[in-house]
Amino acid sequence: MTRTKLTIVITLAAIASTIPITLDSRLGNYGVRERPVGQAVISEAVDEVQVLRERAYGTVYDYVPFVRAAGQANHIPPNVLLAILYEEELHRKPFDLKTFGPAQLGFGELEQQGLPPRLDLLEDPEVSIYLLASKLRRLQKQTGSLQTAIILHNGYSDYLSLIQLRAKDPRILGMLREKTILRETVLA
């Protein structure tokens, strides 16, 4: 990112931080919060690093078969799951001690789903993606909305708009189409 772009991002973040945003009171009851300005600026900067974006696309490409299966089993659109996994991969903290694996879930989610709190379960891509889809389905049933479930997965009020954009990303949609074409070719 050039120095000029970084200055613009910081300025826009500072301006945006002065605009009051009211959370839906129902979301506040779940602990949803506004993203701190500093974290938002860092997130914007990470989004601009081509190497990190390409690495994230490459990583989630390998998850497509797991995304399809978990999405189908839990009635969650695969592009939404892939979008969440992309964002989690792109913004993964190198030394996070609370969330783990491709879906960035914690031990509490394992316990919520009746599983033992084991790191290997969270780190296994297939298990992690299934847990994510199952979590979203559970939250969707509790709140009546997949959109609210997506926000609650991350805990920040701006997360839904990021996922909505990413779910329409031509590369994400292309991965899903490409894997379908490859699977049909192998089965033919």
Side-chain angles (χ1 to χ4, degrees):
M1 176 183 294
T2 67
R3 188 178 182 96
T4 306
K5 280 185 179 179
L6 184 58
T7 303
I8 291 169
V9 167
I10 291 171
T11 304
L12 290 174
I15 291 168
S17 70
T18 63
I19 300 169
I21 300 172
T22 307
L23 283 175
D24 180 325
S25 62
R26 292 174 302 135
L27 296 179
N29 293 337
Y30 286 103
V32 174
R33 58 206 180 280
E34 299 297 328
R35 191 176 304 276
V37 173
Q39 191 179 22
V41 170
I42 292 169
S43 182
E44 288 284 329
V46 167
D47 287 344
E48 295 295 321
V49 180
Q50 183 69 24
V51 172
L52 295 177
R53 288 196 324 251
E54 290 303 319
R55 187 191 76 198
Y57 280 122
T59 300
V60 300
Y61 179 79
D62 294 334
Y63 299 155
V64 170
F66 306 139
V67 165
R68 285 188 185 288
Q72 185 174 13
N74 291 283
H75 307 285
I76 304 294
N79 61 322
V80 170
L81 287 173
L82 210 53
I84 291 171
L85 292 165
Y86 174 87
E87 287 297 324
E88 296 296 351
E89 180 63 32
L90 183 63
H91 297 284
R92 181 180 296 227
K93 298 175 204 116
F95 300 107
D96 192 347
L97 299 176
K98 294 180 182 176
T99 60
F100 307 92
Q104 290 294 283
L105 298 170
F107 292 116
E109 185 57 34
L110 287 172
E111 292 170 358
Q112 179 80 24
Q113 296 198 31
L115 297 169
R118 292 186 8 218
L119 183 60
D120 62 314
L121 294 174
L122 295 172
E123 293 289 345
D124 180 283
E126 186 173 10
V127 173
S128 182
I129 292 165
Y130 189 87
L131 289 169
L132 171 63
S134 180
K135 174 185 181 180
L136 290 173
R137 183 66 174 166
R138 182 184 76 248
L139 292 171
Q140 181 182 21
K141 286 179 179 179
Q142 286 175 357
T143 65
S145 165
L146 179 58
Q147 293 172 333
T148 303
I150 291 167
I151 294 169
L152 294 177
H153 164 68
N154 178 270
Y156 288 115
S157 59
D158 64 344
Y159 192 64
L160 176 62
S161 61
L162 295 171
I163 298 307
Q164 287 173 324
L165 285 173
R166 190 64 62 202
K168 297 174 188 171
D169 180 337
R171 287 187 70 178
I172 295 290
L173 295 172
M175 285 180 207
L176 293 167
R177 276 193 305 275
E178 181 181 325
K179 289 280 184 167
T180 299
I181 292 167
L182 289 174
R183 187 177 64 201
E184 289 171 358
T185 303
V186 170
L187 294 175

